[in-house]
Amino acid sequence: MNIALRIKMSANWALFILFVCPICVHAESAAEIFTDVTQQAGISWQQFDGESPDRLLIETMGGGVAFLDFDGDGLLDIFLVNGGETPRGKSTAPVRNALYRNLGNGRFEDVATRAGVDRLSSYGMGVAVGDYDNDGYPDLYVTGHPASTLFHNNRNGTFTDVSNQGGVTNAGKWAASAAWFDYDRDGLLDLVVTNYVLLSLENPKKCEVNGTRSYCEQVAYQGMPLTLFHNNGNGTFADASQASSLDKFIGRALGVVSADINDDGWPDLFISRDASPNLLLINQHNGTFHDTAVDAEVAYDSNGVAKAGMGIDLADVNRDGLPDFVITTFNDQYHSLLLGSPSGIYQDKTVASGLAKFTKPYVGWGVKFVDYDNDGYMDLVIVNGHINQIVESTRNDVKYRERPLLLHNNGQGVFQDVQAEAGAAFNATYSGRGLAIGDFDNDGDSDIIFTCLNSQPVLLRNNLGQRNHWIGLELEGTKSNRDAIGAKITITVGTQKLVRWITGGSSYLSSQDKRVLVGLGQVSRETVTLEIRWPSGSVQQLSGLQINKYHHVKEDSK
């Protein structure tokens, strides 16, 4: 189905909802911003973490989720990564991933077995989605321990495991997150992998709290170097970790996001690390990276402490055109908000933004900037959950299961907790982990899915976004990588100027809708002007684009 037809169908469906059944939409949206539609969508899969008496740290850390259109029908599907068994944590049923195909009527069908992506030979962690061979169909890289898996999309609804021939098994490492990005700008997606700690399932570390066996703190484990795979263009990858200098950055890496952070036209990396200093890796245009995190004041907090960084995301929070970052951390450390400046030094606005007071008791994982109400300002959604079940025996203010947060940006870079109107899911508690954002019903607002340890994921449909105007962009690179990962987009509507990036990675263990959905608020103008700086470095300008539609934009090949 072509994009024009998809736009028309989406617009017609939106009109049907608004004019044929306005009462049901407005009644529901007045009651809650997001509705939990997991059950009615037909999603029944559950994550299995291999919990055991050995209290292996990996049991507490999974799993990932992705929004992707794997079959090219214009509808977002869902891929869910399962964990795995441990020596003393066995499952009564086969441990399988899920691939839920979007049927277009609000329901999904699990086709993972038929597609060939249901089983892993390793303990599964996260997923990175990218079209590494530029054939128009997304491929899957599934991280894990002690190896990772690359599934090539066969363009017929099935995938083939090409990990070994592709050279990307990352053998012997506990891989957490991964990000596709084109670091040498040759038009082919390369792959960076954040490796966490050195782990032995057979010889577990032993720690206790008040005489009870517990999970050891992360500092009991040795950190690992990063891995960088260079795309050779023939279906294989070369390990460029040493040549790029990434192998010298040893620490407990978890989250990663890639974008052109310093605005020089080349993709950079921000990596959040757990009790290891964060990394701000600036692309040197010669295949290497230089860490500027200390100089940029993002390696440590204001007290010189390397916080327990987990999830990470990038967006322009205060609409100054510069990328800002959010990082989720452990309870009592506060999830961090770092605002960019022209000097390259970041300002810690964790307290001033209100993020500190909202996140003090929580252990945060998946995190995304999302303009859920399409007012043009980036809000935040965060999923939380502690790792130790016995924490409630030592603390009255910290719980094992924790509620997710929906934080509204008031337009001044200050957040407000909208728990009361957010919906039932934001008033319940979970062991939340991975988080992805995407418009699964193509109605022009951002929906949410997040994973939970040993439980079903939670799929949330947005009821509010249609109150404001929006524009959706699906970019297709020609000289650039086909996914246009690394593109910078400047949107002008009237007096508004909004900047968005197509990032690699982000959140925690998860992959997002590659389309860019931009909220425009209550604009009076009917058209939008775009400037796209493609990953190849070329700049393309478009005008006269209509609002409240998705637009397919192909890179000018001249």
Side-chain angles (χ1 to χ4, degrees):
M1 184 184 298
N2 62 45
I3 188 69
L5 181 57
R6 296 204 304 265
I7 292 170
K8 183 177 180 181
M9 290 178 65
S10 176
N12 288 343
W13 177 242
L15 289 172
F16 171 81
I17 294 174
L18 289 173
F19 295 109
V20 176
C21 189
I23 296 176
C24 30
V25 170
H26 292 301
E28 185 173 42
S29 60
E32 56 184 9
I33 299 171
F34 286 95
T35 297
D36 184 344
V37 294
T38 312
Q39 184 174 359
Q40 68 189 70
I43 296 175
S44 58
W45 173 93
Q46 294 195 38
Q47 196 263 2
F48 178 78
D49 65 8
E51 182 180 332
S52 72
D54 297 320
R55 292 296 185 258
L56 294 155
L57 190 58
I58 199 169
E59 301 166 9
T60 71
M61 304 288 284
V65 58
F67 274 123
L68 75 160
D69 180 9
F70 83 93
D71 53 0
D73 65 354
L75 299 169
L76 284 182
D77 312 300
I78 299 168
F79 181 72
L80 293 148
V81 183
N82 218 326
E85 296 183 324
T86 58
R88 294 205 291 166
K90 302 300 182 181
S91 175
T92 57
V95 180
R96 298 182 183 275
N97 306 318
L99 178 61
Y100 279 100
R101 180 174 179 267
N102 191 334
L103 301 179
N105 58 359
R107 293 189 59 81
F108 292 78
E109 174 192 12
D110 189 358
V111 297
T113 301
R114 186 164 72 241
V117 295
D118 58 323
R119 301 297 295 273
L120 299 174
S121 59
S122 301
Y123 190 107
M125 287 292 294
V127 56
V129 176
D131 182 6
Y132 74 84
D133 55 356
N134 289 332
D135 66 353
Y137 284 78
D139 309 299
L140 299 172
Y141 187 73
V142 183
T143 60
H145 175 276
S148 299
T149 306
L150 178 61
F151 290 109
H152 175 256
N153 193 323
N154 298 323
R155 297 181 290 178
N156 61 1
T158 69
F159 292 77
T160 299
D161 182 344
V162 296
S163 313
N164 290 323
Q165 54 265 49
V168 291
T169 58
N170 202 37
K173 297 184 178 71
W174 176 359
S177 297
W180 293 101
F181 75 130
D182 182 9
Y183 76 92
D184 55 356
R185 302 204 322 181
D186 64 353
L188 299 169
L189 286 177
D190 310 300
L191 183 66
V192 63
V193 182
T194 64
N195 300 306
Y196 187 45
V197 299
L198 187 63
L199 177 73
S200 171
L201 298 183
E202 290 71 30
N203 297 293
K205 294 181 179 293
K206 297 180 179 180
C207 297
E208 293 183 348
V209 174
N210 296 333
T212 301
R213 184 72 177 268
S214 180
Y215 295 103
C216 294
E217 295 183 5
Q218 76 281 67
V219 292
Y221 295 86
Q222 177 184 331
M224 298 292 288
L226 304 171
T227 302
L228 179 65
F229 292 112
H230 176 262
N231 191 335
N232 295 327
N234 59 1
T236 69
F237 292 77
D239 190 333
S241 307
Q242 183 175 7
S244 65
S245 74
L246 291 193
D247 67 336
K248 72 179 183 182
F249 299 113
I250 298 174
R252 305 171 194 90
L254 284 175
V256 57
V257 64
S258 175
D260 180 10
I261 295 169
N262 64 346
D263 205 35
D264 66 352
W266 291 74
D268 310 300
L269 297 168
F270 196 131
I271 295 175
S272 56
R273 301 201 297 180
D274 188 5
S276 302
N278 298 322
L279 302 173
L280 181 57
L281 301 174
I282 300 301
N283 194 321
Q284 301 299 293
H285 311 179
N286 60 3
T288 67
F289 293 82
H290 175 62
D291 181 23
T292 64
V294 172
D295 292 338
E297 300 185 6
V298 295
Y300 306 91
D301 70 5
S302 58
N303 297 314
V305 175
K307 294 165 74 171
M310 269 85 91
I312 187 169
D313 196 24
L314 169 158
D316 180 10
V317 172
N318 53 357
R319 303 217 316 197
D320 63 356
L322 300 173
D324 310 308
F325 294 93
V326 62
I327 303 173
T328 53
T329 62
F330 214 72
N331 60 269
D332 301 326
Q333 292 188 345
Y334 316 118
H335 304 352
S336 300
L337 181 67
L338 306 169
L339 298 190
S341 71
S343 69
I345 297 175
Y346 285 77
Q347 300 175 326
D348 190 336
K349 295 295 184 179
T350 303
V351 175
S353 67
L355 197 58
K357 67 180 179 181
F358 296 132
T359 62
K360 183 181 186 297
Y362 298 126
V363 176
W365 303 89
V367 58
K368 283 296 296 178
F369 287 111
V370 54
D371 183 6
Y372 70 83
D373 55 356
N374 281 339
D375 68 351
Y377 291 92
M378 301 305 291
D379 312 302
L380 270 174
V381 59
I382 305 170
V383 293
N384 306 291
H386 213 280
I387 66 170
N388 271 319
Q389 295 95 329
I390 62 173
V391 65
E392 295 177 32
S393 68
T394 62
R395 294 279 296 268
N396 293 325
D397 59 331
V398 177
K399 305 300 181 183
Y400 175 64
R401 290 165 58 94
E402 299 173 330
R403 72 178 182 93
L405 298 172
L406 185 64
L407 305 179
H408 182 258
N409 186 341
N410 71 353
Q412 305 297 319
V414 176
F415 293 99
Q416 302 163 329
D417 187 352
V418 292
Q419 177 185 8
E421 59 264 38
F426 291 92
N427 291 271
T429 58
Y430 309 89
S431 295
R433 293 299 185 264
L435 166 70
I437 302 297
D439 182 7
F440 77 81
D441 50 4
N442 285 337
D443 64 350
D445 52 31
S446 297
D447 307 304
I448 296 170
I449 187 168
F450 63 89
T451 65
C452 306
L453 286 182
N454 278 327
S455 188
Q456 294 179 0
V458 179
L459 179 64
L460 302 175
R461 188 190 65 230
N462 190 329
N463 302 314
L464 187 65
Q466 287 292 315
R467 293 185 181 180
N468 282 314
H469 296 300
W470 57 277
I471 188 168
L473 304 169
E474 182 180 46
L475 270 57
E476 179 185 337
T478 54
K479 293 178 291 184
S480 305
N481 68 85
R482 184 154 181 155
D483 287 341
I485 295 173
K488 176 185 177 181
I489 306 167
T490 303
I491 305 101
T492 303
V493 184
T495 60
Q496 293 190 76
K497 182 169 285 188
L498 308 172
V499 178
R500 301 290 185 264
W501 295 264
I502 298 182
T503 61
S506 82
S507 190
Y508 173 75
L509 305 181
S510 301
S511 198
Q512 320 299 320
D513 186 352
K514 293 295 188 297
R515 298 175 299 179
V516 177
L517 183 58
V518 185
L520 303 175
Q522 290 296 315
V523 296
S524 58
R525 295 174 63 92
E526 292 297 319
T527 60
V528 175
T529 299
L530 298 180
E531 180 182 276
I532 303 171
R533 189 168 72 193
W534 294 87
S536 66
S538 66
V539 176
Q540 187 172 347
Q541 295 183 337
L542 300 95
S543 61
L545 299 179
Q546 292 187 347
I547 61 176
N548 301 330
K549 287 185 177 181
Y550 278 103
H551 297 267
H552 181 230
V553 181
K554 191 171 184 178
E555 182 180 13
D556 191 340
S557 58
K558 294 180 182 179

